[in-house]
Structure formats: structure tokens, C-alpha cells
Amino acid sequence: MRLTPAERDAVSAAVSAAEAGTDGEIVTMIAPVSDAYRDVPPQYGLLAALLVPALVAIDPARLPLISDGWSAPELWLVIFAVMLLQVIAFLIVRYALARTAWRLRLTPRATKRRRVRARAVELFRVAAEQRTAKRVGVLLYLSTGERMAEIVADAAIHAKVPPERWGDAMAALVEEVRQGRPGAGMVAAVGAIGSIIAEHFPKTDADTNELPDRLIEL
């Protein structure tokens, strides 16, 4: 989900407009995904491998390679067949989930939420934290692959604005993203963020533009 040049310009213009009424600085970032989720395929592969002996225990006759239907197979042959099937099951699932889109679908939402948040905090520390004289930087981060967003605020803003105040901005952003309009969502969220921080940090004559207004695409 890529933004068009017009959408990028609209987001940058929204940041400039929002900062016109506050000393706060808004940084916008968008990423295709926040994590590779490479630990997901092995986990599902292990689950598939563990299901093999369970299925064999339920119905041992389902091992046609080692059973002729008349006599019981030798124990070592059963163990070997089960282990071989486990390896095959693991590899099938492991490589079937090579595509990022499939890994995202099978990753629990709570896991995606934690990793999007961790990535947002990491990027905030690099791009905005302590980079303004009054500690009034805010990062709006959108990860389109997970369809999740985060707002991370610098110390001065965090001290005055409780996390739940960002709810309307987040709701506006996520709703537009679900409709396939990430640019419009970010514009709406930036406007809401600007209004909130303007309540606590209104524009002063000494304010300067300390952080870039342009949308950063990762």
C-alpha cells in the first residue's frame, strides 16, 4: 500500500498546517511492515510436526508405507516413519509460509501490536526524541502491512497528554487505512494530533521548525 505523490504532499501540508498553531513538532512515518515475523514459520512447522504422532496414535493404520493391513509393523519402523513424517510436515509448513503476507495472516494480532509498538518507539528515539528544545516531538507511525498505527510523544507532551487522548486520531487513521486511503487517514490523524498538542503548547514567537514536515517512507 504505497502513497501517491499527491498523498505525500497532502500529509506534508497537513503537518505544516498543524504545526502553525503549536510549538509541537509532528513527524510522520509509513512502513510496509514493522517486522519480518521470521519466527512464525518455525513455530507453525513445529506445531505441524507435533500433530503427526498424535494422528498416528489415533489411527496407526494410516501409515500405509509400513503396514500391510494384516500384521503389526515393527516398533523401530513405526518410530522411523513418524520421525520422517514430522520432518516432512515441518518443512512443508516452514516453506509454505515464506511469503510475508501469509506470515502476517497467521501471526496473532497481539503479537503484531507489540511489534508495531516496539518499532514505533525505536524509530521515535532516532527521529524525534530529544531533538526539540522543549521536548515536544510527536511521531505518527503507520505500518500498512499490519494495518496498525502508533503515536509516540516526547517527554513534555507525554507528561500532559494521557494516551487515551490520541484515540480519535488513531481511529480516524485506521478507518481510512481499512478503506484503502492511508494518505487521507494520516492527514486526518495529523490534524487531530495538532489540535491536541496546541491545547498544551500553543504557538509562540520563539518557535522554530526543528523537525522535517515531509512524510518519511521506510
Side-chain angles (χ1 to χ4, degrees):
M1 189 182 297
R2 303 290 297 179
L3 270 65
T4 65
E7 288 176 316
R8 297 187 195 103
D9 292 342
V11 174
S12 298
V15 172
S16 298
E19 292 180 354
T22 175
D23 281 357
E25 295 285 331
I26 302 172
V27 177
T28 55
M29 289 188 181
I30 185 170
V33 70
S34 291
D35 189 87
Y37 300 98
R38 299 194 184 281
D39 58 322
V40 173
Q43 291 176 11
Y44 277 96
L46 179 60
L47 177 61
L50 292 175
L51 285 175
V52 171
L55 295 174
V56 172
I58 294 173
D59 187 3
R62 291 184 178 274
L63 292 175
L65 295 178
I66 63 173
S67 176
D68 57 11
W70 295 95
S71 59
E74 296 185 28
L75 180 59
W76 72 267
L77 196 55
V78 173
I79 295 174
F80 175 79
V82 169
M83 293 179 64
L84 180 61
L85 289 174
Q86 284 185 298
V87 171
I88 293 173
F90 177 87
L91 293 176
I92 289 175
V93 174
R94 168 67 180 82
Y95 289 103
L97 297 181
R99 296 181 58 184
T100 301
W102 291 6
R103 294 199 298 270
L104 282 171
R105 285 182 178 275
L106 290 174
T107 301
R109 184 173 180 81
T111 299
K112 289 188 285 188
R113 169 58 65 194
R114 288 193 298 270
R115 296 191 186 182
V116 170
R117 177 65 182 180
R119 181 61 172 158
V121 171
E122 177 186 1
L123 292 170
F124 171 75
R125 289 172 177 167
V126 173
E129 188 176 32
Q130 300 186 26
R131 294 190 62 186
T132 60
K134 298 180 181 179
R135 304 286 297 276
V136 287
V138 179
L139 170 65
L140 172 61
Y141 173 72
L142 170 63
S143 189
T144 58
E146 295 91 343
R147 295 179 181 269
M148 294 179 177
E150 287 287 342
I151 296 173
V152 188
D154 215 335
I157 295 177
H158 183 70
K160 294 187 176 182
V161 180
E164 56 268 21
R165 281 297 310 276
W166 307 118
D168 291 342
M170 293 291 290
L173 173 56
V174 172
E175 179 60 30
E176 292 290 347
V177 170
R178 288 174 177 168
Q179 299 299 321
R181 299 186 294 266
M186 296 201 77
V187 168
V190 165
I193 292 170
S195 297
I196 292 172
I197 59 179
E199 297 174 10
H200 303 280
F201 302 94
K203 191 74 168 181
T204 62
D205 294 337
D207 179 60
T208 59
N209 192 11
E210 298 172 280
L211 298 176
D213 294 345
R214 67 177 179 83
L215 172 66
I216 300 173
E217 295 184 273
L218 304 176

